[in-house]
Each structure stands twice: as structure tokens, then as C-alpha cells.
Amino acid sequence: AHLMTKEPSTRPPARHVHSIATMAAMMTSMVPVTLRTATPASSASTGRGRLQVVAANKMTRPSLSDPDIQQFKTGPNDTGSSSLQIALLTKRIESLTAHLMTNKKDYATQRGLRMLLGQRSRLTKYLKKDDPARYESTMEGLGLKVK
């Protein structure tokens, strides 16, 4: 009778499945987080008794009082002109791009970045049609290519 021998597998060993507490401990070494259980009001959406990971250090959005942003305001009370929105989006795009340089597989951030790029593209198209002089000055101030 012929005995079949099992050849050693060339597959990598199976990864160890960690508990939620172990994964949270591993994540805290990367980013400061806090764990909390879902509140009863939100348990319908998050699942009953699940732990939520809440980042303690969220990526900050650019401030309207930032000196780099001040030059794009049309007046002291301006909070939403096209040129200001383009400047704010550009700052967020720059921070996400820097984040993606180190986290190449962060696909959720990649999607968010593409959405911001599309929004900025639509705003620049509108500004170019509405006020070409303001469009030129905004593009020069941000160092963006004039189309």
C-alpha cells in the first residue's frame, strides 16, 4: 500500500486573532484613544454593548483666524466666500496628503481626499467663471496651477 505523505505548507502561518482589549492596547501605542461603551440611545446604530474607539487627537481643520487663510477673506466677517473655501480645502488636502504619505493603505482617507479634490475643483471652476481676477489671485496665493 502506498502511504501519502503530507508536504509542508508554503502558506504563512495564520494570524493570531486578538481580543478587543488587546487590539485597543496595540492601537494606543499608535494613536491616543479612549474606549467607551455605546450609550443606549445610540445602541441601535452601533450594536448593543459594543466598544467605540474615539480618537483623542483628531486631525484639526484649518482655522479662519490662521494668518495663511486671512488673505483670502473678502471682509472681516467672511466665513464662506469661494476663495476662502478653496483656501480651507487646500489646507485640508495638504494635511491629508501628508497623512497618506505615511499611511498608504488608508483607503477611507483616500476617498475623503478625492471628495475634497472634487469639491475644490468645482469651486475653482465657479470662481473662474464668476470672478476671474479673484480666481487668479487665489490660485497664485495658494500656489495652485491656473487652468
Side-chain angles (χ1 to χ4, degrees), residues 15-24 26:
R15 293 188 178 188
H16 181 69
V17 178
H18 298 286
S19 69
I20 291 177
T22 308
M23 288 190 335
M26 290 179 356

Side-chain angles (χ1 to χ4, degrees), residues 32-118:
V33 296
T34 57
L35 294 175
R36 65 178 178 207
T37 56
T39 58
S42 65
S43 63
S45 62
T46 59
R48 190 166 184 216
R50 279 204 175 143
L51 290 177
Q52 297 175 333
V53 178
V54 181
N57 185 6
K58 290 187 178 178
M59 208 177 275
T60 58
R61 294 186 181 210
S63 171
L64 290 173
S65 60
D66 187 5
D68 296 337
I69 302 295
Q70 288 291 327
Q71 65 181 2
F72 300 104
K73 285 187 167 186
T74 56
N77 296 328
D78 181 16
T79 58
S81 66
S82 298
S83 57
L84 182 63
Q85 287 184 57
I86 292 168
L88 291 169
L89 284 170
T90 301
K91 293 296 178 190
R92 285 181 63 196
I93 288 167
E94 288 170 356
S95 70
L96 288 179
T97 303
H99 169 77
L100 284 171
M101 292 295 182
T102 57
N103 303 287
K104 297 183 187 317
K105 294 188 177 183
D106 188 352
Y107 300 114
T109 302
Q110 286 180 18
R111 179 177 183 269
L113 178 61
R114 283 193 300 270
M115 291 170 65
L116 291 177
L117 287 168

